[in-house]
Amino acid sequence: MVTMNENTEFKTLQEVIEYVADPTRAHDLAVSVRWPSGVACPRCGDMSVTFLAKYYRWKCRGCKQQFTVKVETLMEDSPLPLEKWMAATWLITNAKNGVSSCEVGRAIGVCQKTAWFVLHRVRLAMQNRPIEKFSGPVECDDSFIGREERNKRAHKKLNQGRGAVGKEIVMGILERGKEKDSPKVRAKVISDTPKDTLHAEVKDNVEYGAKVYSARIRAIWVFPPI
């Protein structure tokens, strides 16, 4: 289930499609998500704007520039309507095991090339580092992801040893759910596993003073000892 604002909850893709089928309602939803405190010019930040309802755009009284809800978002410069972007975004972000561009294309009624473009834009937006830090309690660990050398074809083997050879190191940080909130998790590919690297990732993602639980990271100087 995804909540796009305080009054709108979608449990299925069909609910999303039915809700945003009306372009005006889709536009209003996008505006409420992007500017919950009121529309502001993305260029100068001025909130003195005039809405041009015929064109679904605003004109800023400060810099005199016109803009839409798509400006400076992953939807910018795309002719695809908002309702298709919203349906695709819901589908991609709720696919636990991933989703292909062919499946996205069939779901929102576009060709595979367009779906591929949308899929990569949404994935890129999901990769951006969030501003909020976890407040804890937090669990963190790292893991080696990839095929075993012995299971690879001969021409793909690195012949450099066993264990971590040829694998990517992924570090995961999970914030335990509080009361009715669901747990949140972040994962990132890291270059190595020395203490300094792991501690730096925790400090970048977790607030000072939060409780951190980990089998690998014993004591982090900015956090209470584990």
Side-chain angles (χ1 to χ4, degrees):
M1 178 181 66
V2 170
T3 302
M4 301 192 74
N5 61 27
E6 60 181 4
N7 299 317
T8 310
E9 293 185 352
F10 300 120
K11 296 182 180 179
T12 65
L13 178 61
Q14 183 63 30
E15 291 182 4
V16 179
I17 294 174
E18 290 177 356
Y19 187 90
V20 301
D22 180 1
T24 300
R25 189 158 57 178
H27 182 266
D28 292 343
L29 178 59
V31 172
S32 67
V33 172
R34 180 172 184 186
W35 294 298
S37 302
V39 178
C41 177
R43 296 184 174 87
C44 67
D46 196 335
M47 297 187 70
S48 300
V49 297
T50 302
F51 183 55
L52 309 176
K54 183 179 179 181
Y55 305 103
Y56 288 102
R57 63 175 62 233
W58 291 265
K59 183 175 182 180
C60 177
R61 296 177 184 176
C63 63
K64 308 300 181 183
Q65 296 294 317
Q66 295 187 14
F67 61 93
T68 69
V69 71
K70 287 184 176 182
V71 172
E72 294 188 3
T73 71
L74 71 160
M75 301 177 288
E76 187 170 11
D77 297 328
S78 170
L80 204 64
L82 281 172
E83 53 266 29
K84 291 189 180 294
W85 271 105
M86 290 183 173
T89 301
W90 188 95
L91 178 62
I92 296 166
T93 55
N94 282 272
K96 294 182 179 179
N97 298 319
V99 60
S100 69
S101 58
C102 293
E103 185 176 349
V104 173
R106 288 192 298 268
I108 66 174
V110 298
C111 67
Q112 184 272 333
K113 289 185 178 180
T114 299
W116 185 92
F117 170 80
V118 172
L119 182 62
H120 280 261
R121 281 266 179 121
V122 174
R123 284 176 175 172
L124 180 62
M126 293 172 66
Q127 290 175 5
N128 292 340
R129 179 178 295 276
I131 299 175
E132 302 84 5
K133 291 186 176 183
F134 289 160
S135 58
V138 172
E139 299 176 18
C140 56
D141 203 353
D142 60 277
S143 180
F144 294 89
I145 307 298
R147 296 180 61 187
E148 294 283 350
E149 283 290 292
R150 63 185 179 183
N151 295 330
K152 294 181 180 179
R153 295 182 180 273
H155 68 281
K156 292 186 177 181
K157 290 185 178 181
L158 300 178
N159 297 319
Q160 296 178 359
R162 300 179 297 175
V165 174
K167 296 183 179 181
E168 295 289 348
I169 309 171
V170 178
M171 181 175 180
I173 301 176
L174 179 143
E175 181 181 48
R176 297 176 180 175
K178 299 178 180 178
E179 297 179 355
K180 296 183 179 179
D181 294 338
S182 300
K184 300 176 183 178
V185 64
R186 297 174 189 167
K188 180 182 179 181
V189 176
I190 56 178
S191 57
D192 47 33
T193 58
K195 180 179 68 175
D196 292 343
T197 300
L198 301 179
H199 287 192
E201 290 299 325
V202 174
K203 286 188 283 186
D204 286 345
N205 289 278
V206 182
E207 291 182 354
Y208 177 87
K211 291 184 178 180
V212 180
Y213 299 90
S214 174
R216 287 263 299 161
I217 309 173
R218 287 298 174 187
I220 302 175
W221 64 274
V222 296
F223 303 105
I226 300 172

